[in-house]
Amino acid sequence: MSKKAKIVLIVSVSLLAAVAATIAAIITVPLVKEAFELWNMDRAYKANWGFKLVKGTKPLYEAPRESSFFGDGVRYSVFDISGVDDAKIAYSLKHGSDGEFERDVASLMSRRADENGGDVDALYALHFPDEYDYRKTVDGDDTLYIVAFGGRLYIIEDFM
């Protein structure tokens, strides 16, 4: 094999490897990013509230908010739980409806919009149906609201 043929072969193999690496990165980077985001949220929920997201839960939306030095404010996240067998049991949720709970969430979301810069994307806004699964947990000055229905899990955290 001539020197020129060896160079062409080496360049061709190198280009093919670069293309393959690029395609692999395009496929895997979004998957890794989603897994890392879920892992990071999972760590926060475990540290703050003592629970982990159930396997099969997929992040759909996290409302943007202004950063706070102390981490206070309202966090709003929506997850797809259509692949989760029984979220009600996993998250210790009650079933029914609760007007006071709904008013508390509405007030909190209003405060969130005023303090953190805007409304939640309409596609992911929480509109209570007649019945839903829910939970409220108070830990000192902080409060957690969880709502589940229609294959979605809404988590609203209020840090004071």
Side-chain angles (χ1 to χ4, degrees):
M1 185 179 292
S2 71
K3 188 174 182 179
K4 191 174 188 180
K6 287 181 184 179
I7 292 172
V8 169
L9 181 63
I10 291 170
V11 169
S12 297
V13 169
S14 298
L15 285 174
L16 185 59
V19 168
T22 302
I23 290 171
I26 289 170
I27 292 170
T28 58
V29 166
L31 298 174
V32 170
K33 181 178 181 253
E34 182 179 307
F36 181 74
E37 287 173 358
L38 191 60
W39 175 76
N40 205 20
M41 289 177 185
D42 225 8
R43 286 184 49 201
Y45 293 138
K46 182 71 174 163
N48 293 330
W49 306 107
F51 74 89
K52 294 179 79 170
L53 294 170
V54 176
K55 186 175 182 172
T57 302
K58 297 176 185 158
L60 290 175
Y61 175 77
E62 186 168 1
R65 65 188 200 110
E66 291 182 17
S67 298
S68 166
F69 181 75
F70 296 106
D72 56 341
V74 179
R75 292 184 195 156
Y76 180 87
S77 303
V78 182
F79 299 90
D80 176 358
I81 57 168
S82 57
V84 174
D85 288 333
D86 201 350
K88 182 178 176 182
I89 293 171
Y91 297 110
S92 304
L93 305 177
K94 296 186 280 186
H95 183 76
S97 63
D98 183 330
E100 183 179 343
F101 180 86
E102 292 175 32
R103 284 187 295 278
D104 287 351
V105 169
S107 174
L108 188 61
M109 294 308 292
S110 177
R111 192 181 95 220
R112 183 212 163 284
D114 293 342
E115 292 176 357
N116 293 335
D119 292 324
V120 168
D121 184 316
L123 186 61
Y124 300 102
L126 174 57
H127 301 288
F128 287 97
D130 291 338
E131 290 189 348
Y132 46 88
D133 298 321
Y134 66 101
R135 168 181 156 191
K136 177 180 178 179
T137 302
V138 178
D139 182 14
D141 291 334
D142 303 330
T143 309
L144 168 72
Y145 298 86
I146 300 178
V147 181
F149 64 90
R152 286 189 174 178
L153 179 74
Y154 300 82
I155 298 180
I156 304 118
E157 302 170 276
D158 183 17
F159 294 103
M160 297 302 267

